[in-house]
Amino acid sequence: QVEVVESGGGLAQPGGSLSLSCVASGTTRSFYGMGWYRQAPGKQRELVAEITRTGIPVYEDFVKGRFTISRNGAENMIYLQMDSLKPEDTAVYYCSVSTRPYGVDYWGQGTQVTVSS
């Protein structure tokens, strides 16, 4: 059993910042990669950013230059620093854990991010 827990969601004003954290724990300690997805009401869940176990980040175009994904090498923890937030960033953000190059094997419960004035 692998537990994935996100934290750090909340309310921010447009142009503001939030930082998210995710910890994966359980019987599996070695992962191919971890990442962040988000889902707004009525929309499909979409990839935001991913980072491999070797520290290679991949960003979707709509967050490039604004969001930064990082990984803590001491444990299975990733972060998402979100700057220059826009109202369209409002969504539930989910942490993902993959044991292979493609596909998501484990999900967190999600954390709400709301960007509004």
Side-chain angles (χ1 to χ4, degrees):
Q1 183 71 34
V2 174
E3 183 179 30
V4 184
V5 180
E6 307 98 335
S7 62
L11 176 65
Q13 295 185 337
S17 299
L18 285 173
S19 60
L20 307 181
S21 299
C22 173
V23 179
S25 61
T27 58
T28 301
R29 293 296 184 183
S30 180
F31 305 122
Y32 174 80
M34 298 177 67
W36 294 96
Y37 286 70
R38 69 186 186 187
Q39 186 169 20
K43 298 179 65 178
Q44 297 288 328
R45 187 172 298 186
E46 62 182 353
L47 174 68
V48 176
E50 290 183 314
I51 187 166
T52 69
R53 62 179 177 84
T54 58
I56 302 174
V58 177
Y59 299 97
E60 291 300 298
D61 288 342
F62 57 84
V63 300
K64 284 184 176 179
R66 299 190 298 121
F67 292 7
T68 303
I69 188 171
S70 60
R71 184 168 188 165
N72 188 329
E75 57 186 318
N76 294 314
M77 175 179 287
I78 61 168
Y79 307 91
L80 186 68
Q81 177 64 43
M82 303 183 292
D83 298 317
S84 301
L85 284 165
K86 304 175 181 179
E88 51 263 44
D89 294 320
T90 296
V92 176
Y93 283 69
Y94 297 90
C95 181
S96 66
V97 177
S98 301
T99 62
R100 49 194 166 153
Y102 299 97
V104 176
D105 298 295
Y106 306 100
W107 295 97
Q109 81 288 347
T111 184
Q112 178 70 47
V113 171
T114 301
V115 183
S116 176
S117 60

